[in-house]
Amino acid sequence: MGNKVTVLGGGAMGTACAILLSENPEQEVALWTRNPEHAAVMAQSRQNERLLPGVKIPASVAITADVEAAIDGADILVAAVPTAFLREALTDWAPLLTADRPMVSVIKGIENETFLRPSEIISEILGQRGVVALGGPSHAEEISRRLPASVVAASGDLSLAKRVQAMFTTDRFRVYTNVDIIGVEMAAALKNIVAIAAGICDGLGFGDNAKAGLITRGLVEMTRFGTAMGAEASTFAGLAGLGDLVTTCVSPYGRNREVGERLGKGETLEQIQADMKSVAEGVWTTRSVYELSDQRDVDMPIANEVYQVLFEGKSPTAATESLMLRPPKRE
């Protein structure tokens, strides 16, 4: 075999990445999941029955809960754990990771309190190393079943982005490159907030016109916030921005859209989170963006209303009225 790639995180996206990477016969692939029982079941059944039922994990993918064994000999690492757990996980992995091994992040969030993007958390805990953010419309449920998808690999180091492009590219998975890692990570996080709002539209039965308007104005907010943080505006018109936004707002697989829909139908956030199989990153990201936009004085009306629904008990109907009754303005 050629290079070894280790995927750290046995959720839906981590599993899908391992399946995707294993299509290249020149790559040895290991998948690490924290829970030993989960690892044993996955290794025996060759599927992630809870999150990707019916999708076979190739026999060539080594599945383990032993992080040292998973990382041993790896040339490049793929981080696929939720933002809220990334710092703790990286701290555990740090003694095993040498500085010369780059990392690919498929994580879509902004850390609470620090407001750091995943690549910044990686650099803070592990020291400076090459980091690539992989973003775009790429639900694990679809790419694991070889349905066509296109994404973007972003890094300040274009040669590293091209290396990751080659690693992930298949006849069903097209990868573009981009040097705007700030924009790709910001877009990946921000679209989840808009997806919660889109789900609220669905839950309230507001129809296509309302949802299309919300998505359009949501993209404006994403671009406004991202550029204030140093991103390039053009990134938000690309796969990581508009592409991922559309998918997340309309797909039945979207966890953030599901949160919003259930809120719109009258459930509380606590009820929703209690029985969700996977983490909805947008809930945490909303808190970060609400606080950071206030500090930086960035106008984020949709994000602010989502925050009030999630954390201040505002009704989805009242939040909608607040948005619709804002003073008229130019587009």
Side-chain angles (χ1 to χ4, degrees), residues 155-177:
S155 175
D157 180 349
L158 183 58
S159 64
L160 179 58
K162 289 181 177 179
R163 179 181 171 189
V164 171
Q165 179 183 45
M167 281 172 47
F168 276 88
T169 294
T170 74
D171 62 334
R172 293 299 184 94
F173 196 76
R174 182 171 176 81
V175 184
Y176 293 82
T177 58

Side-chain angles (χ1 to χ4, degrees), residues 82-84 107-113 115-118 185-194 196 222 225 256 273 279-293 300 303-304 306-307 310-311:
T83 307
I107 304 165
K108 300 181 176 182
I110 299 173
E111 189 175 43
N112 287 163
E113 298 182 5
F115 308 131
L116 295 179
R117 294 174 282 110
E185 287 192 301
M186 279 294 176
L190 293 164
K191 56 90 184 176
N192 286 330
I193 303 175
V194 183
I196 293 174
M222 289 169 56
F225 186 89
N256 296 284
Q273 290 181 316
V279 171
E281 285 270 23
V283 175
W284 292 323
T285 301
T286 299
R287 186 183 294 278
S288 292
V289 169
Y290 176 82
E291 294 174 358
L292 191 53
S293 63
M300 300 287 285
N304 290 346
V306 171
Y307 176 87
L310 289 173
F311 302 112

Side-chain angles (χ1 to χ4, degrees), residues 9-323:
M13 193 60 186
T15 304
C17 284
I19 294 169
L20 183 65
L21 289 162
S22 72
E23 289 195 40
N24 185 339
E26 299 300 314
Q27 291 174 165
E28 178 185 354
V29 180
L31 174 63
W32 172 84
T33 185
R34 181 180 295 275
N35 187 311
E37 183 179 348
H38 185 221
V41 171
M42 287 177 67
Q44 193 277 327
S45 68
R46 304 312 300 181
Q47 64 177 306
N48 189 330
E49 295 176 349
R50 189 170 68 92
L51 298 176
L52 295 174
V55 177
K56 286 297 180 182
I57 303 171
S60 60
V61 176
I63 303 171
T64 181
D66 183 341
V67 69
E68 189 168 1
I71 290 174
D72 183 46
D75 300 284
I76 195 162
L77 308 164
V78 179
V81 297
T83 307
F85 308 135
L86 180 59
R87 181 174 294 275
E88 178 185 356
L90 289 170
T91 302
D92 291 341
W93 303 335
L96 307 173
L97 299 178
T98 55
D100 59 341
R101 284 188 277 193
M103 184 166 280
V104 180
S105 168
V106 294
I107 304 165
K108 300 181 176 182
I110 299 173
E111 189 175 43
N112 287 163
E113 298 182 5
T114 69
F115 308 131
L116 295 179
R117 294 174 282 110
S119 66
E120 293 176 312
I121 303 171
I122 291 168
S123 296
E124 181 179 296
I125 303 299
L126 301 182
Q128 290 299 317
R129 68 183 59 224
V131 182
V132 175
L134 195 68
S138 51
H139 282 309
E141 292 83 355
E142 293 186 354
I143 63 172
S144 64
R145 292 176 169 85
R146 301 200 78 245
L147 297 179
S150 298
V151 300
V152 59
S155 175
D157 180 349
L158 183 58
S159 64
L160 179 58
K162 289 181 177 179
R163 179 181 171 189
V164 171
Q165 179 183 45
M167 281 172 47
F168 276 88
T169 294
T170 74
D171 62 334
R172 293 299 184 94
F173 196 76
R174 182 171 176 81
V175 184
Y176 293 82
T177 58
N178 188 328
V179 295
D180 182 21
I181 189 171
I182 298 175
V184 168
E185 287 192 301
M186 279 294 176
L190 293 164
K191 56 90 184 176
N192 286 330
I193 303 175
V194 183
I196 293 174
I200 289 173
C201 273
D202 291 339
L204 292 172
F206 282 164
D208 297 337
N209 293 337
K211 193 168 179 179
L214 177 79
I215 291 171
T216 304
R217 296 308 302 172
L219 182 60
V220 171
E221 281 194 26
M222 289 169 56
T223 307
R224 181 188 300 138
F225 186 89
T227 53
M229 299 300 119
E232 297 176 13
S234 59
T235 300
F236 294 87
L239 289 165
L242 178 60
D244 208 1
L245 176 64
V246 170
T247 294
T248 309
C249 288
V250 304
S251 173
Y253 300 125
R255 293 184 295 275
N256 296 284
R257 193 206 62 79
E258 179 189 345
V259 169
E261 182 175 18
R262 293 173 65 176
L263 287 166
K265 291 180 177 178
E267 293 186 62
T268 66
L269 180 60
E270 292 72 22
Q271 290 171 328
I272 297 165
Q273 290 181 316
D275 66 1
M276 288 194 76
K277 292 181 180 179
S278 299
V279 171
E281 285 270 23
V283 175
W284 292 323
T285 301
T286 299
R287 186 183 294 278
S288 292
V289 169
Y290 176 82
E291 294 174 358
L292 191 53
S293 63
D294 183 59
Q295 288 183 14
R296 301 289 184 91
D297 195 27
V298 182
D299 187 30
M300 300 287 285
I302 295 172
N304 290 346
E305 293 301 329
V306 171
Y307 176 87
Q308 291 181 57
V309 171
L310 289 173
F311 302 112
E312 295 185 350
K314 190 170 187 175
S315 77
T317 301
T320 304
E321 290 174 355
S322 295
L323 287 172

